[in-house]
Amino acid sequence: MSRGKIPVIETFGPTIQGEGMVIGRKTMFVRTAGCDYRCKWCDSAFTWDGSEKHRIRMMEPAELFEELIQLAGNNFDHVTISGGNPALIGEAMNDFIMLLQEHGMKIGLETQGSKWQDWFLLVDDLTISPKPPSSGMETNFEILDEIIARLNPAAFSLKVVVFDDHDFAYAKKVHKRYPAANFYLSVGNANPNEKGDISSRLLKSLDWLWGKVIEDPEMNNVKALPQLHALVWANKRGV
């Protein structure tokens, strides 16, 4: 029996995960609509700003799984769920994750840590990505504390996108607050709508970020990564 539907704005793949704890992993993508944040530099603002609301489909978990099979057949064993903020979805997401696992799939999911869901405990590759000052959002650390406390440190990672010195200082604060968590830094993409090759711009930002990490003894145990997909495919959608 259905326990609700998932607001899906796009599915695609197989492709390569470009960031975070499973960077380089072949995966399918499910992108959900709706978000409780409004980040200034969001590279998927179409999930919440209304510009593509005509593309949103309310899908049963089984219907969504069948669409992934139709797209890729047996050419995947990992599904990345992104948004928007998929943590806004309750029982239907739980059922979708369980369905994937029944078919031998691993699940990756990213959320900003603004809302707890019990199904977080089912996710194989869970990324909590609190947003830095450049986003224009403010982290509710009381909620984030509660979420982190309920997770096994070995079962999730923290990731902070870094655009500038203020973001780097925020990342240090987050790392110090949750020292047991696997911690990743990701280079920010300041213009997600720019056309053409953006690799030189992103590599320049990565060089700056690596320099910051190398010089800072408080950041010895972090991994500073590029957005690999943006280096290779720029701002192209559906990859």
Side-chain angles (χ1 to χ4, degrees), residues 161-223:
V161 180
V162 177
F163 284 84
D164 55 32
D165 287 334
H166 295 295
D167 289 353
F168 189 75
Y170 171 88
K172 289 178 62 174
K173 176 182 177 180
V174 172
H175 184 41
K176 185 175 182 179
R177 193 178 185 101
Y178 312 108
N182 292 314
F183 196 81
Y184 293 82
L185 301 180
S186 182
V187 172
N189 180 2
N191 186 355
N193 298 311
E194 182 181 349
K195 304 297 184 182
D197 184 4
I198 61 173
S199 59
S200 60
R201 173 168 64 79
L202 294 179
L203 287 172
K204 185 177 180 180
S205 296
L206 182 62
D207 179 58
W208 170 82
L209 180 58
W210 279 0
K212 297 285 289 186
V213 171
I214 289 167
E215 293 170 3
D216 196 324
E218 294 183 25
M219 300 295 266
N220 289 345
N221 189 26
V222 306
K223 299 177 180 70

Side-chain angles (χ1 to χ4, degrees), residues 3 20 26 36 52 60 104 113 134 140 151 159 181 212 235:
R3 297 199 300 171
K26 183 164 77 171
D36 50 336
E52 297 190 17
E60 299 271 0
S134 63
N140 185 325
L151 296 169
K159 186 190 78 177
K212 297 285 289 186
N235 286 321

Side-chain angles (χ1 to χ4, degrees), residues 52-153:
E52 297 190 17
K53 62 182 179 180
H54 60 284
R55 298 185 62 198
I56 299 172
R57 295 173 294 153
M58 300 303 297
M59 302 185 73
E60 299 271 0
E63 180 185 10
L64 179 53
F65 175 71
E66 180 59 30
E67 179 163 298
L68 296 180
I69 297 298
Q70 290 177 0
L71 282 171
N74 66 351
N75 192 25
F76 71 102
D77 64 2
H78 189 277
V79 176
T80 297
I81 303 167
S82 186
N85 183 9
L88 299 180
I89 305 163
E91 292 176 340
M93 184 60 74
N94 180 92
D95 295 347
F96 179 57
I97 290 170
M98 292 186 68
L99 179 62
L100 290 172
Q101 291 179 332
E102 288 170 8
H103 287 82
M105 305 290 172
K106 299 291 186 181
I107 296 92
L109 185 140
E110 181 171 324
T111 179
Q112 60 261 41
S114 59
K115 180 177 175 60
W116 170 262
Q117 291 285 359
D118 288 342
W119 52 252
F120 283 179
L121 301 173
L122 301 176
V123 176
D124 300 284
D125 307 311
L126 177 63
T127 298
I128 306 294
S129 183
K131 304 309 177 188
S134 63
S135 70
M137 300 292 103
E138 185 172 343
T139 301
N140 185 325
F141 279 102
E142 289 186 6
I143 293 176
L144 189 56
D145 286 347
E146 293 174 2
I147 291 172
I148 300 300
R150 298 174 75 171
L151 296 169
N152 182 334

